[in-house]
Amino acid sequence: MNEVLPDELTEQSDARIVFLVMDGLGGLPFEPGGKTELETAVTPNMDRLAQTCAAGLIEMVGPGITPGSGPGHLALFGYDPVRYNIGRGVLSALGVGFELEHGDVGVRLNFATLDSAGRVSDRRAGRPTDEENKRLVAKLTERVKAPDGVELFFEPEKEHRAVMVLRGAALGAQLSDTDPQEEGATPLRVHAYDSESRRTAQIVQEVLDSAFEALADEPRANAILARGFAAFHRYPSLHERFKLRGQAIARYPMYRGVAKLLGMDLHPVPDSDEGSIAALGDRFNDYDFHFVHFKAVDSRGEDGDFAGKVKAIEAIDKLIPAVEKLKPAALVITGDHSTPSRAKAHSWHPVPLILASPWSRPAGLTGFGERECRKGELGIFPAMHLMTLALAHAGRLAKFGA
Amino acid sequence: MNEVLPDELTEQSDARIVFLVMDGLGGLPFEPGGKTELETAVTPNMDRLAQTCAAGLIEMVGPGITPGSGPGHLALFGYDPVRYNIGRGVLSALGVGFELEHGDVGVRLNFATLDSAGRVSDRRAGRPTDEENKRLVAKLTERVKAPDGVELFFEPEKEHRAVMVLRGAALGAQLSDTDPQEEGATPLRVHAYDSESRRTAQIVQEVLDSAFEALADEPRANAILARGFAAFHRYPSLHERFKLRGQAIARYPMYRGVAKLLGMDLHPVPDSDEGSIAALGDRFNDYDFHFVHFKAVDSRGEDGDFAGKVKAIEAIDKLIPAVEKLKPAALVITGDHSTPSRAKAHSWHPVPLILASPWSRPAGLTGFGERECRKGELGIFPAMHLMTLALAHAGRLAKFGA
């Protein structure tokens, strides 16, 4: 219901919407009775907004569902993350700037080391440099060919990661990973989960076999492991759905990939989070919607570094006044999922949210944190409704019905 | 799910349900840090009910969606407002008591003044009296004829407003407004949004041309502007869905129209809000469900009159004890949408709600207001589930499953 309605009600306007997304923002107390990372952090700017504006908790996919970064961001942007379920292969290809066409099948590759028995001895091939990665990709591009009727592309990502894309008629993407996910095991053979993907499974296996031959003389990166096969289907853009010209200011490929998938323009990669905020000011009036992504909060959570996550949040708080000076009609501060440092991983816990606008109804919270947001005006709600709320608070939605 | 379940579970009973609806009840603080209109109002009776009964906030259509009065009321009565999306033309026709038949196309008319260049100089024709309105409608009825196979009806509403209904086989209602919505512009020609409505567009244009001829000698009301074309489809009634014989006590045509659409009987129009409460007592035991509508709260909000809205709420609070004396099994006090006086318009903000019954679980609120209701037992929930809750609290719902 609410995924459809805003499409018809959205209106052109000069009102700007800004989403500041701290990856993995939500957390948990490290010790029983303690505070979460966000509750511990000294965040005077976000506290002030929580006191005077609307706040709540968002559930990214559904109760108890731990989202990957793709579904988390799709939900933030108003796309039902279950309906628009994209695979990592597609995200990775978009992230490196590859121009996917409808029907392309993408997959993420790891360069890996096989021992003399053909077993994986290093799933990351000793983490090659990005230069080394490029050399290996060039080698694959030169030596590995797909059968007639199929085009094959290899693209470097970072370190041990690369992307492969197949293009051709009637390709299927219901394919199993070849990455055994543990060292000491042999790479798996690819197989099809549905009949439409059977021919593609054969093609991919031939391509992988040919790649292993091409890399046989490499001392470390003598194999590739594939995971996350996914077909690319064009999504309706933010502009088609919400009349929003959007730009993404993000420093990591994956988040740039999601933004591109929804038709956002990509700002050149800033060199720091401060640079991201400066970038926001550069072309503030050229876009209706600005997505700014901050990675460090999640990284410290994944590291299990509670104090580091606290500091990463505090660093973002210092950037808030510069965003406020731009006077966005609606400013959203939230995350794409929780990453409690105690869990060292994504989790399903709802993510705290501030929605600041002259039209937000304040609930009188004391500050920005999980427990306070629980009492906020917006309650706990599915993240896919956030865009509707942001559009409403920015005055970009018409009334429904007479 | 919840729209369907109650249909099967409802039971006959002597328990009476009363909905007191203050149009546009929800609000916002006028100044940052201030209170809303409802929080400002001195409402000892509603505060007492909020302290001892269940309370919450209702979202009429969905997060961020600003409802018109039609969708707002449909949701209150347990009808999914997106599925049951009715146009203003149908509501207006029902509101003036016109007996619509399945397939009729209704549209709202304004009498307007055109200048010698054919431009709209007054969209309301100087607000004619109701008597003058009746004379103009009689003139149209006498002089304007529809083509063969189509019946045409004109009905007066109030001041400059009237209703036109077309009846015939295979009429379409996907028609554009002819009201340009601004003075200085010429009336628009009607066009069809779908192929099924093309023939109807031609018929309507002929009718409007003929109406302009008929009114050519009028000094002020020499034109009509049409907006909100809508086809009438019979809805399942409150009785069919919930086994409720309902009556509506409402003073304004639109609200009477919605009630009639759902099969409620219409009490003769009371002359005041006090009169509405007296009317409630008249036939209290003849109906299972009583809808009492109060308009002034919304009107003051639309005027941007914060103090006036506060007073209008206080005036309703004084009427509550008379309602309580009737001992309804469930008493709901709420609104159909928010109308913050600062916005001078409907808004999407959730609407505060009290549900008073011997079976309500109290949350110990301090009084009736947006922020208190946020903490209420019922939380924030879609308004279309309110009817189920009211039925339950009135003991009119059977257990689901064995």
Side-chain angles (χ1 to χ4, degrees), chain B residues 8-32:
Chain B
E8 301 164 8
L9 304 178
T10 49
E11 296 186 324
Q12 294 288 2
S13 149
D14 288 336
R16 310 292 172 220
I17 298 172
V18 173
F19 274 31
L20 303 182
V21 179
M22 281 176 268
D23 206 291
L25 177 63
L28 285 175
F30 210 84
E31 304 287 346

Side-chain angles (χ1 to χ4, degrees), chain A residues 131-176:
Chain A
E131 280 314 300
E132 184 68 355
N133 181 323
K134 278 182 194 157
R135 184 186 64 76
L136 293 164
V137 163
K139 193 170 184 176
L140 290 174
T141 302
E142 191 194 321
R143 302 204 188 166
V144 182
K145 303 294 166 203
D148 279 356
V150 175
E151 281 183 276
L152 184 65
F153 306 90
F154 292 97
E155 296 287 336
E157 197 172 309
K158 274 170 175 269
E159 299 180 336
H160 55 287
R161 291 191 297 271
V163 178
M164 178 170 80
V165 176
L166 287 86
R167 177 173 298 162
L171 293 176
Q174 294 298 313
L175 300 171
S176 66

Side-chain angles (χ1 to χ4, degrees), chain A residues 1 358-359 361 374 376 388 400 402, chain B residues 61 66 68 70 342 349-350 374:
Chain A
M1 172 178 95
W359 297 106
R361 187 195 269 169
R374 173 68 191 81
T388 315
F400 171 65
Chain B
V61 179
T66 295
R342 184 156 72 85
H349 301 86
R374 171 69 190 80

Side-chain angles (χ1 to χ4, degrees), chain A residues 32-80:
Chain A
K35 292 179 177 182
T36 68
E37 298 90 335
L38 178 57
E39 290 167 351
T40 304
V42 178
T43 55
N45 294 302
M46 296 193 284
D47 288 348
R48 171 174 42 77
L49 291 175
Q51 285 155 20
T52 54
C53 298
L57 287 172
I58 45 178
E59 214 143 36
M60 309 315 296
V61 179
I65 306 294
T66 295
S69 296
H73 277 86
L74 283 172
L76 286 179
F77 300 138
Y79 291 72
D80 178 345

Side-chain angles (χ1 to χ4, degrees), chain B residues 74-358:
Chain B
L74 283 172
L76 287 178
F77 300 138
Y79 290 72
D80 177 344
V82 175
R83 181 171 157 203
Y84 295 99
N85 185 6
I86 44 174
R88 189 169 277 266
V90 162
L91 279 180
S92 294
L94 291 165
V96 298
F98 186 85
E99 293 284 339
L100 283 168
E101 295 184 5
H102 190 83
D104 284 358
V105 171
V107 66
R108 193 162 178 186
L109 303 179
N110 271 17
F111 288 107
T113 312
L114 296 193
D115 65 18
S116 56
R119 291 196 195 87
V120 177
S121 58
D122 184 345
R123 282 183 63 239
R124 295 181 185 83
R127 291 199 189 261
T129 62
D130 294 353
E131 280 313 300
E132 184 70 354
N133 182 324
K134 279 182 193 157
R135 183 186 65 77
L136 293 164
V137 164
K139 192 170 184 177
L140 290 174
T141 301
E142 190 195 320
R143 300 202 189 168
V144 182
K145 302 294 166 202
D148 279 357
V150 176
E151 281 184 276
L152 184 66
F153 307 90
F154 292 96
E155 295 287 338
E157 198 172 304
K158 274 171 175 269
E159 299 181 334
H160 54 287
R161 291 191 298 270
V163 178
M164 177 169 80
V165 176
L166 287 86
R167 178 173 297 161
L171 294 176
Q174 295 297 314
L175 299 171
S176 65
D177 292 351
T178 71
D179 185 345
Q181 298 275 2
E182 54 180 352
E183 284 161 8
T186 54
L188 306 171
R189 293 188 67 80
V190 67
H191 67 260
Y193 291 123
D194 66 12
S195 56
E196 287 72 27
S197 304
R198 230 174 264 161
R199 191 182 65 99
T200 311
Q202 289 173 356
I203 294 169
V204 168
Q205 191 62 55
E206 282 172 37
V207 164
L208 292 176
D209 291 345
S210 167
F212 277 53
E213 281 170 36
L215 299 174
D217 59 349
E218 291 290 333
R220 309 201 69 166
N222 61 353
I224 50 178
L225 305 174
R227 64 194 164 107
F229 287 90
F232 173 71
H233 305 291
R234 208 182 72 79
Y235 282 13
S237 69
L238 280 185
H239 193 264
E240 286 167 301
R241 292 198 52 209
F242 307 122
K243 297 194 183 73
L244 295 176
R245 291 163 302 148
Q247 82 159 332
I249 303 171
R251 298 170 58 208
Y252 283 74
M254 170 131 169
Y255 313 98
R256 300 174 69 83
V258 183
K260 188 163 182 190
L261 192 66
L262 306 183
M264 289 186 231
D265 286 348
L266 302 181
H267 192 283
V269 179
D271 59 0
S272 65
D273 289 344
E274 291 73 16
S276 293
I277 297 301
L280 181 64
D282 288 348
R283 304 184 61 186
F284 191 68
N285 287 318
D286 295 345
Y287 291 97
D288 306 303
F289 179 83
H290 301 268
F291 158 48
V292 190
H293 180 266
F294 303 104
K295 180 67 179 166
V297 174
D298 178 65
S299 302
R300 296 297 78 73
E302 296 263 7
D303 294 342
D305 179 0
F306 189 98
K309 187 173 168 186
V310 169
K311 272 189 198 152
I313 294 168
E314 291 175 343
I316 303 302
D317 188 70
K318 294 194 174 68
L319 305 177
I320 301 296
V323 179
E324 290 183 282
K325 270 190 197 142
L326 299 169
K327 298 196 185 301
L331 168 62
V332 166
I333 304 175
T334 189
D336 60 334
H337 55 79
S338 290
T339 304
S341 41
R342 184 156 72 85
K344 298 187 183 182
H346 292 202
S347 81
W348 63 89
H349 301 86
V351 180
L353 160 85
I354 293 169
L355 172 41
S357 126

Side-chain angles (χ1 to χ4, degrees), chain A residues 102-360:
Chain A
H102 190 83
D104 284 358
V105 171
V107 67
R108 193 162 178 185
L109 303 179
N110 271 17
F111 289 107
T113 313
L114 295 193
D115 65 17
S116 56
R119 292 198 194 84
V120 178
S121 59
D122 184 345
R123 283 184 60 239
R124 295 182 184 83
R127 290 199 189 264
T129 63
D130 294 353
E131 280 314 300
E132 184 68 355
N133 181 323
K134 278 182 194 157
R135 184 186 64 76
L136 293 164
V137 163
K139 193 170 184 176
L140 290 174
T141 302
E142 191 194 321
R143 302 204 188 166
V144 182
K145 303 294 166 203
D148 279 356
V150 175
E151 281 183 276
L152 184 65
F153 306 90
F154 292 97
E155 296 287 336
E157 197 172 309
K158 274 170 175 269
E159 299 180 336
H160 55 287
R161 291 191 297 271
V163 178
M164 178 170 80
V165 176
L166 287 86
R167 177 173 298 162
L171 293 176
Q174 294 298 313
L175 300 171
S176 66
D177 292 352
T178 70
D179 185 345
Q181 297 274 2
E182 55 180 353
E183 286 162 6
T186 53
L188 306 170
R189 295 187 64 80
V190 67
H191 66 261
Y193 292 124
D194 66 12
S195 55
E196 288 71 27
S197 304
R198 228 173 267 162
R199 191 181 67 98
T200 312
Q202 289 173 356
I203 293 168
V204 168
Q205 191 60 56
E206 285 173 33
V207 163
L208 292 176
D209 291 346
S210 167
F212 277 53
E213 281 170 36
L215 298 173
D217 58 349
E218 291 290 334
R220 309 199 70 164
N222 61 354
I224 49 177
L225 305 174
R227 60 192 166 107
F229 288 91
F232 173 70
H233 305 291
R234 208 182 73 80
Y235 283 11
S237 70
L238 279 186
H239 193 263
E240 288 167 302
R241 292 198 52 210
F242 307 123
K243 297 194 182 74
L244 294 175
R245 292 163 303 148
Q247 84 161 330
I249 302 171
R251 298 172 57 210
Y252 283 73
M254 169 131 172
Y255 313 100
R256 300 174 70 82
V258 183
K260 189 166 181 188
L261 191 66
L262 307 182
M264 288 185 230
D265 285 351
L266 302 181
H267 192 284
V269 179
D271 59 359
S272 65
D273 289 344
E274 291 72 18
S276 293
I277 297 300
L280 181 64
D282 287 348
R283 304 186 60 187
F284 190 69
N285 286 319
D286 295 344
Y287 292 95
D288 307 303
F289 179 82
H290 300 269
F291 157 50
V292 190
H293 181 265
F294 302 104
K295 180 67 179 167
V297 174
D298 178 64
S299 302
R300 297 296 80 71
E302 297 263 7
D303 294 342
D305 178 359
F306 188 99
K309 186 172 168 186
V310 169
K311 273 190 196 152
I313 294 168
E314 291 175 343
I316 302 303
D317 188 69
K318 295 194 171 69
L319 306 176
I320 302 295
V323 179
E324 290 183 281
K325 269 190 197 140
L326 299 169
K327 297 195 186 301
L331 168 61
V332 166
I333 304 175
T334 189
D336 61 333
H337 55 79
S338 291
T339 303
S341 40
R342 183 155 70 86
K344 298 187 184 181
H346 292 202
S347 80
W348 63 90
H349 302 86
V351 180
L353 161 86
I354 292 169
L355 173 41
S357 131
W359 297 106
S360 47

